[in-house]
Amino acid sequence: MKTLAKLPVTIVTGFLGSGKTTLLRHMLDNAQGRRIAVIVNEFGELGIDGEILKQCTIGCTEEEASGRVYELANGCLCCTVQEEFFPVMRELVARRGDLDHILIETSGLALPKPLVQAFQWPEIRSACTVDAVITVVDSPAVAAGTFAAFPDQVDAMRKLDPNLDHESPLHELFADQLASADLVILNKADLISPEDLARVRLEVAEELPPAVKVIEASSGRLPLDVLIGLGAGSEEHIDSRHSHHDHHHEGEDDHDHDAFDSISIELPQADESLLLDALTQLVVQHGILRVKGFAAIPGKPMRLLIQGVGTRFDKHFDRQWGADEARTTRLVLIGQELDAALLEAQLRAALSV
């Protein structure tokens, strides 16, 4: 009986808005015949990233595409890894003769180290290996000292004095994402000056083992051969990688990222400019970190995809509404101490719905 080689797995981590989903889409669009399964760990009640990735079917039928995208619900992998990750991996292991590679996109608030350690479990270790952990860095945000394009979430004093002992939770998580990396992508490199990019490279290098490569990219556009086939075997050495959260898994109260809320809101059709103006106001008033979702625009046959980081919004019409599909607007708002009822009421008032 032929022995199957271990199935390589690439883990893509990075903060919200750094460009992880864009990188995965690029990898799928350039798969060159590779049979790739995708696991999306979505922070939020709606599977929005999963929806986006399912569009990248590379010529597959809808049924085949649905079979290749697995999705873990509700966010933080360090909390859900045992409950949800293992059954998904077991199913993929059973089908590994049909696969060439697995891609995992973590939540922007997840810690990568516990996920990599899960590949030490005997049933997974015998069948899979972590080809590489890729950490995607939002270069303009790091250049601005905010790490995640959320300036209100970073301790202003620490930004002024890097020698202070106190670190914000975001900086600790940023450091932990880098600590697990086998490859770091300085994304959005085209959006900052060469001088700022050089500063970002130096700051990132301070958190990395010397052997970890750092490369620059715009919109995650890199040759696939640079991204996969690294053969890092990350599960073999992850225990030696120090992170701020190494001792934080004994009690739930130690999870810094538990402070982040994710709420979902469903609305009827909405005027595009009114909706974006209303969302911008909510971001400013309530410190919302991320907005993602779909909007139904009156008179438009296509669905509007909306992704916002801070007050910066990207939008485009991604596909036709299905004949039997309800034309509703569905949004996920991510932030700290969010009041779901208040946010929905403000949105409805602004849209007069």
Side-chain angles (χ1 to χ4, degrees):
M1 186 179 199
K2 183 181 176 183
T3 301
L4 291 171
K6 286 189 177 183
L7 186 60
V9 178
T10 298
I11 297 170
V12 179
T13 188
F15 269 137
L16 299 164
S18 61
K20 300 187 304 297
T21 300
T22 301
L23 176 67
L24 259 70
R25 292 186 68 169
H26 171 75
M27 295 172 77
L28 292 174
D29 285 341
N30 294 277
Q32 299 169 336
R34 293 179 179 87
R35 298 164 301 172
I36 299 175
V38 184
I39 300 175
V40 180
N41 185 231
E42 172 61 20
F43 188 87
E45 296 176 23
L46 304 178
I48 287 170
D49 284 347
E51 280 280 336
I52 295 168
L53 288 167
K54 283 173 188 173
Q55 298 167 38
C56 305
T57 56
I58 324 171
C60 299
T61 65
E62 185 174 343
E63 290 74 18
E64 289 171 330
S66 296
R68 346 183 0 259
V69 179
Y70 294 82
E71 190 164 351
L72 307 178
N74 295 326
C76 161
L77 265 175
C78 72
C79 301
T80 65
V81 63
Q82 295 184 36
E83 289 79 8
E84 299 189 53
F85 175 72
F86 188 72
V88 174
M89 283 302 300
R90 187 162 49 195
E91 186 174 345
L92 289 176
V93 165
R95 296 175 53 187
R96 79 182 200 264
D98 301 321
L99 298 172
D100 298 312
H101 207 93
I102 297 174
L103 296 178
I104 300 176
E105 178 191 355
T106 71
S107 152
L109 301 173
L111 300 169
K113 186 171 182 177
L115 174 59
V116 179
Q117 289 171 322
F119 284 85
Q120 298 170 348
W121 299 345
E123 193 169 342
I124 297 180
R125 186 172 190 155
S126 63
C128 300
T129 183
V130 179
D131 185 60
V133 176
I134 298 177
T135 298
V136 183
V137 171
D138 186 328
S139 299
V142 176
T146 62
F147 310 110
F150 312 139
D152 293 340
Q153 303 304 316
V154 178
D155 185 343
M157 289 304 295
R158 191 199 175 281
K159 191 166 73 171
L160 293 172
D161 186 357
N163 297 313
L164 289 177
D165 290 334
H166 175 72
E167 292 180 315
S168 72
L170 277 181
H171 182 265
E172 288 184 359
L173 184 51
F174 176 71
D176 284 358
Q177 289 178 344
L178 291 173
S180 299
D182 301 299
L183 175 69
V184 174
I185 298 175
L186 302 184
N187 204 24
K188 308 180 187 177
D190 55 321
L191 301 183
I192 59 174
S193 69
E195 294 78 16
D196 282 344
L197 188 59
R199 267 196 311 111
V200 170
R201 181 180 282 272
L202 284 174
E203 183 166 354
V204 166
E206 290 177 0
E207 306 284 355
L208 295 173
V212 175
K213 302 295 184 188
V214 180
I215 56 177
E216 299 163 10
S218 302
S219 300
R221 292 190 296 269
L222 290 165
L224 201 60
D225 289 341
V226 172
L227 300 170
I228 67 174
L230 278 67
S234 310
E235 70 277 10
E236 302 288 344
H237 54 75
I238 191 63
D239 292 338
S240 66
R241 299 283 190 96
H242 168 74
S243 78
H244 293 279
H245 295 78
D246 283 344
H247 305 294
H248 281 195
H249 291 86
E250 310 233 337
E252 290 299 317
D253 290 339
D254 289 328
H255 285 57
D256 283 334
H257 47 292
D258 280 352
F260 291 89
D261 299 321
S262 174
I263 66 170
S264 59
I265 296 175
E266 186 163 330
L267 301 165
Q269 297 187 76
D271 178 81
E272 180 180 340
S273 60
L274 278 179
L275 178 61
L276 290 172
D277 287 346
L279 288 172
T280 301
Q281 288 299 316
L282 286 189
V283 167
V284 172
Q285 291 173 20
H286 300 280
I288 293 169
L289 309 180
R290 187 75 191 271
V291 177
K292 19 180 19 177
F294 305 106
I297 309 299
K300 299 291 186 182
M302 298 187 74
R303 189 177 68 172
L304 184 70
L305 169 66
I306 298 173
Q307 300 197 68
V309 177
T311 55
R312 187 176 72 243
F313 284 89
D314 294 320
K315 59 184 176 63
H316 67 271
F317 289 100
D318 68 326
R319 67 165 175 81
Q320 294 271 351
W321 288 101
D324 301 323
E325 191 175 6
R327 296 197 178 193
T328 58
T329 297
R330 296 187 300 149
L331 301 167
V332 169
L333 309 181
I334 300 171
Q336 293 179 300
E337 299 180 4
L338 299 182
D339 184 327
L342 175 63
L343 292 172
E344 180 168 351
Q346 282 192 227
L347 265 182
R348 287 184 175 274
L351 299 172
S352 299
V353 297

